[in-house]
Amino acid sequence: GEKRKQRARPFEVADQWLMMHHHLQLQPWLDDWLAGVRRDGLLARRGDQGQALLDAMMVLQRLVLDGRRERARTELAAQVLHSSHALDDGTLVAALVLRGLAAASGVAVPTSARDRQALWESFGVVTDSVSSTCLTLGLRWEGQGAEALSWNGFADRGAPLHLTRWDLRAGGARLGGSGPVAGGGPVLVCENPRVLEAVAERFGGSVAVVCTSGRPNLVTQDVLVLCADAGRELRYHGDFDWPGVAIANQVMELCDAEPWMMTSQDYLTAPGSLPLSGSEVEPSWDDELGAAMRGRGVVVHEEAVLDQILKALEDWPRQPSS
């Protein structure tokens, strides 16, 4: 009846708009996103007749076209929707865009404020400089300023350290390089905080670690680039699932990290039973791994191979204390 027509109208308008905007229309995740919005009745619950859906598609298209160029969320909202508050938390448009970003990333729709912010930032959209952090261990910083001395104290104690973008700006962000004074051994880049915690428990600050905590937010990307610019060798390990492969691809492209214990053989010999789900992502570093994952069809989380990671780290060069 009439209610069914009203529910269908926003999607009819969306189809017409997409016919003229092929950059978004060709995205492989688009149909799943629209189907999810329709299935969950998000527009019907808010009494929306389609403008919010069009606004969300315009924002998603801008993000697709621009890649992960950094910009403030208020700036993005003003540029695309002519209102700096159009993407504020709690708005229907922001909820729709976040669903689209989740679909594009192959992850669940975020339900917490922290997860929402992390998803925004994974696409280069900044909300502020103080609430997102990068979890690190054992990184050593140059200079005699208060920040460098404090952060190096964490490394000496083998204590994990959370850094914000505010910290990096205030501290000058000069990371110790790979020379004998700086003591720069390789840096392990991992996906899950439990891995960093276990390294701290076993090796203290003698092994440097940067944890992406899932898809790396902007401050984590900053720290990884600082490591690369300082000449540090970056070795990446993450989950063997499709979102994990996407994260690995991103990190390797961002800072020239090398895959570590991430071969098809590593995958096939690791324990796992949870079925793979979501859109397939081809590993940029190993075609055989992609084929192995499709063939075996199970997820292998980092925590499942934690003992092997720690054993392998016993042979890594150690960082001297300051």
Side-chain angles (χ1 to χ4, degrees):
E2 188 61 31
K3 286 186 177 180
R4 184 178 300 149
K5 290 181 180 179
Q6 288 179 355
R7 287 195 296 269
R9 179 60 181 163
F11 299 96
E12 294 170 356
V13 174
D15 288 340
Q16 295 170 5
W17 187 89
L18 285 168
M19 290 178 64
M20 298 179 288
H21 298 85
H22 298 297
H23 289 290
L24 186 60
Q25 187 182 39
L26 295 175
Q27 296 302 307
W29 47 266
L30 181 72
D31 290 341
D32 286 343
W33 170 61
L34 287 171
V37 173
R38 185 193 294 267
R39 181 179 61 251
D40 295 344
L42 192 61
L43 301 182
R45 291 200 303 271
R46 304 277 189 105
D48 183 79
Q49 295 302 305
Q51 186 58 49
L53 186 58
L54 289 178
D55 288 348
M57 289 193 299
M58 287 190 285
V59 172
L60 289 167
Q61 176 168 259
R62 175 62 63 88
L63 293 174
V64 166
L65 288 172
D66 291 354
R68 286 177 167 81
R69 180 180 72 81
E70 183 178 329
R71 91 289 307 278
R73 183 169 57 172
T74 52
E75 175 191 354
L76 174 66
Q79 288 177 345
V80 179
L81 304 177
H82 311 295
S83 168
S84 61
H85 295 292
L87 293 172
D88 285 358
D89 291 336
T91 64
L92 177 57
V93 178
L96 292 168
V97 172
L98 283 168
R99 283 170 170 260
L101 299 182
S105 302
V107 300
V109 178
T111 57
S112 70
R114 180 176 180 178
D115 288 345
R116 288 192 292 271
Q117 182 179 38
L119 186 56
W120 278 119
E121 291 198 356
S122 71
F123 285 84
V125 182
V126 185
T127 55
D128 61 68
S129 64
V130 294
S131 57
S132 289
T133 66
C134 174
L135 177 60
T136 68
L137 174 71
L139 293 182
R140 302 189 181 279
W141 303 81
E142 295 178 348
Q144 296 300 312
E147 290 85 2
L149 293 174
S150 173
W151 301 345
N152 288 338
F154 277 81
D156 290 338
R157 297 193 303 275
L161 172 65
H162 288 270
L163 293 169
T164 67
R165 303 192 96 201
W166 180 285
D167 292 330
L168 296 182
R169 289 202 303 264
R174 290 183 298 130
L175 190 68
S178 56
V181 176
V187 178
L188 172 64
V189 185
C190 64
E191 183 181 342
N192 297 285
R194 174 57 193 147
V195 175
L196 182 145
E197 182 182 39
V199 174
E201 292 168 348
R202 177 75 65 87
F203 303 108
S206 65
V207 174
V209 186
V210 175
C211 180
T212 68
S213 299
R215 188 176 288 272
N217 59 25
L218 291 174
V219 64
T220 302
Q221 293 178 39
D222 289 344
V223 170
L224 291 172
V225 170
L226 286 170
C227 289
D229 289 347
R232 301 296 294 271
E233 178 188 355
L234 296 162
R235 301 177 183 177
Y236 182 81
H237 188 277
D239 291 337
F240 288 107
D241 58 10
W242 301 128
V245 170
I247 293 168
N249 286 344
Q250 181 186 355
V251 170
M252 292 175 195
E253 180 181 2
L254 174 71
C255 57
D256 292 326
E258 292 293 327
W260 183 68
M261 297 180 63
M262 291 288 286
T263 67
S264 57
Q265 190 64 24
D266 292 320
Y267 169 71
L268 290 171
T269 57
S273 59
L274 188 70
L276 282 170
S277 61
S279 301
E280 295 181 5
V281 181
E282 198 63 34
S284 62
W285 68 97
D286 189 345
D287 292 339
E288 291 184 3
L289 173 59
M293 291 176 66
R294 286 188 291 273
R296 186 183 180 195
V298 301
V299 173
V300 174
H301 289 134
E302 273 189 299
E303 294 88 342
V305 294
L306 188 52
D307 288 343
Q308 293 94 308
I309 290 173
L310 295 174
K311 183 173 178 57
L313 288 175
E314 292 175 355
D315 297 328
W316 275 36
R318 291 290 179 262
Q319 299 192 130
S321 59
S322 60

